[in-house]
Amino acid sequence: MEQLPVCNTVLSPDGRPRAVASDHGAAKQKLFDLLPPAFVAAVVAFWAFAPKALAENGWTIVVTSALITLAVLGLEFVHERHAGWRMNRREFFTDLFYVVLGSTVISWVSTAVAEDPLAAAKKSLGITTQWAMQMPWLLQVVLVIVLIEFGQYWMHRLMHNATPFWLTHAPHHHITQLNAAKGAVGNPIELVLISLSVVALFDLSLTAKFCAFNVLGVVSTFAHANVRANPPRFYALFFTTIRHHSLHHSTDYEATRCNYANSLILIDRVFGTYREGEAAVVGQDDLRRLSIWEQFVFPFQPLIDRIRAKREATAAAIN
């Protein structure tokens, strides 16, 4: 969607009103357009130069992740993209619930069912990937980003093309507005599936992994945020933007089968699933927002409906 410059009205020499672009409005827009790449650069610089004791502390990644979300959420109030996506009290507390769920229960389950078993299998089989540890630090960051995004891309694509998986992912598409923390919203089964990766098989610097997690967090947060920012072409070529992802959340199901990459849109470009465009209205079916409980039971709803229909038919037959 083309962004129009902010205009003021002045009088022309013949006394008629004439619209002129506001330098302040144009400068503000240019600043916001540069914020996503600036955030990425700031994250990389932090993890590259932070003191070792701070960078390797597990709580640091928790704090930086929270600060990224809060910062982008704050930007929504300064320069929103769509009034219809404006944050309200109900959306805020729902998003907060899912952010906490993701950083606690989902994180624990993902570690227990995937990362720990992979690490144990790697150790028992004597597999070593010291070559990865010997890579330059920045290349390690890139490797982690590619590994995570490649897995998420194919899992996400599977969810849109296989009914059992779609039932776990569909709740995420029933959100009716996009905001900074909306990437964390979804059915718990989907949240676990989409978090799986093979990063545990590689020997990599802890700070490189933390940096990659934060870079992905920045990109994904901006890709879901109600912020009027259209990053430069060099950024949008590689990373997912709100334009790419809002189209993926459009109201037409067939239109959602594109731009699967959570953060690395380059993968969609490579595999032919990239589509240009933007959507201002998001949601599925009757565009009704699901409650947390409805999100949780959604994958089982067809089974619940069949059981309920069978009971009603039995009751009708008896009567």
Side-chain angles (χ1 to χ4, degrees):
M1 179 182 293
E2 183 181 1
Q3 302 300 326
L4 299 177
V6 177
C7 296
N8 291 326
T9 301
V10 299
L11 295 179
S12 61
D14 61 2
R16 295 180 180 180
R18 178 170 58 90
V20 297
S22 165
D23 291 340
H24 173 74
K28 179 180 180 180
Q29 187 58 55
K30 288 181 180 179
L31 173 62
F32 270 79
D33 289 347
L34 292 174
L35 284 180
F39 268 58
V40 170
V43 161
V44 173
F46 171 79
W47 290 105
F49 300 109
K52 183 176 180 180
L54 178 64
E56 295 186 351
N57 188 316
W59 279 103
T60 303
I61 184 67
V62 175
V63 173
T64 54
S65 298
L67 289 176
I68 289 168
T69 302
L70 289 172
V72 178
L73 182 61
L75 293 174
E76 293 186 358
F77 293 92
V78 178
H79 201 44
E80 70 179 11
R81 195 173 192 87
H82 299 295
W85 297 356
R86 189 171 298 164
M87 178 63 72
N88 56 50
R89 185 182 182 88
R90 182 177 66 170
E91 292 294 333
F92 174 79
F93 283 105
T94 299
D95 292 355
L96 179 61
F97 169 83
Y98 279 105
V99 168
V100 174
L101 179 72
S103 61
T104 54
V105 177
I106 303 301
S107 178
W108 179 83
V109 173
S110 298
T111 300
V113 303
E115 294 180 24
D116 287 349
L118 281 177
K122 176 174 175 288
K123 183 177 181 180
S124 64
L125 294 173
I127 299 174
T128 60
T129 55
Q130 283 300 313
W131 58 267
M133 185 67 81
Q134 301 305 317
M135 293 171 59
W137 181 83
L138 194 57
L139 285 182
Q140 293 185 46
V141 174
V142 173
L143 176 60
V144 175
I145 290 173
V146 171
L147 287 173
I148 292 176
E149 279 295 294
F150 190 78
Q152 287 193 345
Y153 169 86
W154 286 107
M155 177 61 74
H156 194 182
R157 189 169 175 176
L158 175 65
M159 288 174 172
H160 278 264
N161 291 275
T163 299
F165 289 93
W166 169 248
L167 289 175
T168 69
H169 181 56
H172 181 65
H173 280 267
H174 277 77
I175 58 178
T176 55
Q177 58 173 238
L178 294 176
N179 300 113
K182 283 295 189 292
V185 176
N187 179 270
I189 299 173
E190 180 230 0
L191 296 177
V192 170
L193 290 174
I194 209 72
S195 69
L196 302 179
S197 76
V198 295
V199 172
L201 292 176
F202 294 83
D203 297 298
L204 294 161
S205 162
L206 181 61
T207 57
K209 289 190 285 188
F210 283 170
C211 180
F213 298 159
N214 267 175
V215 168
L216 292 173
V218 166
V219 177
S220 178
T221 301
F222 271 107
H224 285 88
N226 184 23
V227 177
R228 189 178 296 276
N230 296 304
R233 186 180 299 274
F234 73 84
Y235 179 96
L237 177 65
F238 295 95
F239 295 123
T240 304
T241 70
I242 184 60
R243 298 182 68 250
H244 305 138
H245 205 65
S246 65
L247 182 63
H248 177 75
H249 274 272
S250 55
T251 57
D252 175 17
Y253 170 71
E254 288 302 321
T256 69
R257 300 172 74 179
C258 67
N259 300 349
Y260 296 115
N262 189 46
S263 299
L264 201 60
I265 199 67
L266 180 65
I267 299 178
D268 281 285
R269 297 182 187 276
V270 170
F271 289 103
T273 51
Y274 173 78
R275 188 180 301 173
E276 186 61 50
E278 181 172 357
V281 179
V282 297
Q284 288 289 300
D285 300 335
D286 56 358
L287 303 185
R288 187 178 68 84
R289 176 188 181 279
L290 299 181
S291 66
I292 293 174
W293 173 250
E294 289 172 321
Q295 291 246 3
F296 275 46
V297 302
F298 191 94
F300 313 105
Q301 197 60 53
L303 177 61
I304 294 172
D305 291 342
R306 284 198 295 270
I307 294 174
R308 183 176 297 154
K310 185 176 181 180
R311 286 179 178 176
E312 291 174 353
T314 301
I318 292 175
N319 295 332

